[in-house]
């Protein structure tokens, strides 16, 4: 589509993603009304095609905020996402929230403590380290290696986490390292700082119980000369998804071939 997507996550056959869902360029001239990004969900039909996506309820997609960067806990009962206020084209404020499943809907979100502060907190994803549930996320908090770094914080309760820990020089660089996704001992993420084919590339590294293996570029197909981010897989199948601004014959441009 020509819409701008902000993350993608699949759980039990349901696709969640953040999107502007706009066919025209957004111009903030005072006349724009509902221009904020929202989280949508959709499932495949019996023709193996995704149905038209529906926005999540207004408790999730709150007025006045860009709501995106969605991920779910392994059991699908907790949804993590960010509410962001832009400053120009970059995040001026961004905090991570959690919402709990209530039947076929999602309850009122709660801001996490421990991971949020006077910094940008974004791209949350549940993982496991040292036998504990952790939340991986990206942040520009002071003390990092440069740009956005990837951190983890250990879960204390449903809404409380320990102080964030930087993943260190093996993963983080002086450039932006973002969109972590953890699955079965492997951490996937995108980076501009590691040797790449061009722009952001998708990388992976394995956890052996005490440390991370050497970072590996996922290679052509996954990566291109453009930005390739938000890699995720569907645990119950062999399907995976990611977001890219690479030009293609089946992709319609909104503003330019790589918009």
């Amino acid at each position: 589509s020509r819409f701008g997507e902000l993350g993608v996550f699949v759980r039990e056959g349901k696709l969640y993603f953040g999107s502007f869902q706009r066919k025209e360029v957004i111009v903030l001239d005072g006349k724009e009304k509902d221009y904020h990004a929202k989280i949508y969900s959709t499932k495949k039909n019996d023709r193996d095609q995704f149905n038209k996506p529906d926005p999540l309820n207004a408790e999730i997609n709150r007025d006045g905020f860009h709501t995106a960067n969605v991920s779910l806990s392994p059991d699908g009962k907790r949804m993590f996402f960010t509410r962001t206020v832009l400053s120009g084209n970059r995040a001026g404020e961004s905090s991570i929230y959690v919402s709990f499943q209530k039947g076929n809907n999602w309850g009122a979100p709660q801001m996490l403590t421990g991971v949020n502060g006077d910094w940008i907190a974004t791209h949350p994803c549940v993982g496991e380290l040292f036998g504990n549930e952790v939340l991986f996320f990206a942040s520009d908090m002071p003390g990092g290696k440069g740009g956005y770094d990837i951190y983890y914080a250990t879960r204390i309760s449903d809404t409380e986490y320990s102080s964030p820990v930087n993943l260190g020089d093996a993963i983080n660089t002086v450039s932006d390292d973002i969109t972590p996704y953890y699955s079965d001992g492997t951490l996937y993420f995108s980076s501009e700082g590691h040797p790449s084919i061009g722009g952001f590339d998708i990388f992976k590294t394995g956890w052996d119980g005490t440390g991370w293996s050497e970072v590996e570029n996922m290679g052509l197909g996954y990566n291109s000369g453009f930005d390739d981010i938000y890699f995720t897989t569907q645990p119950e199948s062999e399907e995976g998804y990611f977001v890219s601004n690479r030009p293609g014959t089946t992709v319609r441009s909104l503003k330019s071939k790589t918009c």
Side-chain angles (χ1 to χ4, degrees):
S1 75
R2 66 182 66 182
F3 308 134
E5 271 69 62
L6 303 167
V8 58
F9 202 87
V10 183
R11 185 67 75 222
E12 297 178 353
K14 199 167 189 177
L15 180 72
Y16 296 84
F17 62 98
S19 178
F20 286 100
Q21 291 287 291
R22 290 286 299 268
K23 294 182 179 180
E24 298 177 355
V25 174
I26 296 172
V27 179
L28 298 183
D29 56 3
K31 298 178 182 178
E32 292 278 2
K33 294 181 180 179
D34 188 14
Y35 61 86
H36 291 91
K38 294 179 174 63
I39 295 173
Y40 294 79
S41 67
T42 181
K43 276 190 171 183
K44 285 186 176 180
N45 54 35
D46 55 10
R47 301 187 305 277
D48 201 34
Q49 297 175 334
F50 282 111
N51 295 312
K52 182 180 179 180
D54 294 313
L56 300 190
N57 62 60
E59 286 195 291
I60 302 298
N61 292 315
R62 183 179 172 186
D63 288 345
F65 292 88
H66 295 285
T67 308
N69 302 314
V70 61
S71 68
L72 275 71
S73 59
D75 62 7
K77 295 181 179 179
R78 288 173 290 149
M79 179 172 63
F80 299 86
F81 63 92
T82 58
R83 283 179 176 163
T84 303
V85 177
L86 296 185
S87 177
N89 288 325
R90 291 185 66 87
E93 301 174 17
S94 181
S95 298
I96 298 172
Y97 288 77
V98 64
S99 175
F100 304 95
Q101 191 177 46
K102 295 176 63 176
N104 294 323
N105 218 327
W106 293 97
Q110 299 180 55
M111 184 187 291
L112 299 184
T113 61
V115 302
N116 293 310
D118 294 328
W119 52 73
I120 302 299
T122 188
H123 307 153
C125 183
V126 171
E128 182 181 343
L129 293 178
F130 304 109
N132 298 311
E133 181 183 309
V134 302
L135 189 74
F136 293 103
F137 65 102
S139 178
D140 65 350
M141 69 178 65
K145 307 300 178 183
Y148 287 99
D149 280 7
I150 299 174
Y151 292 79
Y152 78 89
T154 303
R155 179 176 179 261
I156 299 172
S157 70
D158 281 345
T159 60
E160 183 181 5
Y161 288 77
S162 66
S163 297
V165 178
N166 190 294
L167 289 190
D169 293 335
I171 292 175
N172 290 315
T173 68
V174 296
S175 299
D176 288 336
D177 307 286
I178 58 172
T179 62
Y181 172 72
Y182 179 91
S183 178
D184 294 329
T186 300
L187 180 70
Y188 303 88
F189 67 99
S190 291
S191 175
E192 281 188 314
H194 292 281
S196 73
I197 297 170
F200 279 102
D201 272 11
I202 301 166
F203 297 83
K204 67 178 181 178
T205 177
W207 176 254
D208 65 7
T210 59
W212 298 101
S213 64
E214 184 176 354
V215 169
E216 178 184 347
N217 189 299
M218 293 278 284
L220 284 169
Y222 295 101
N223 293 314
S224 65
F226 302 90
D227 291 331
D228 306 290
I229 55 180
Y230 291 112
F231 177 86
T232 184
T233 61
Q234 184 170 339
E236 58 269 21
S237 77
E238 296 182 353
E239 289 186 346
Y241 300 87
F242 62 95
V243 175
S244 179
N245 67 341
R246 66 185 70 179
T249 56
T250 61
V251 179
R252 292 174 295 171
S253 303
L254 179 61
K255 187 177 180 181
S256 66
K257 290 183 178 181
T258 61
C259 178

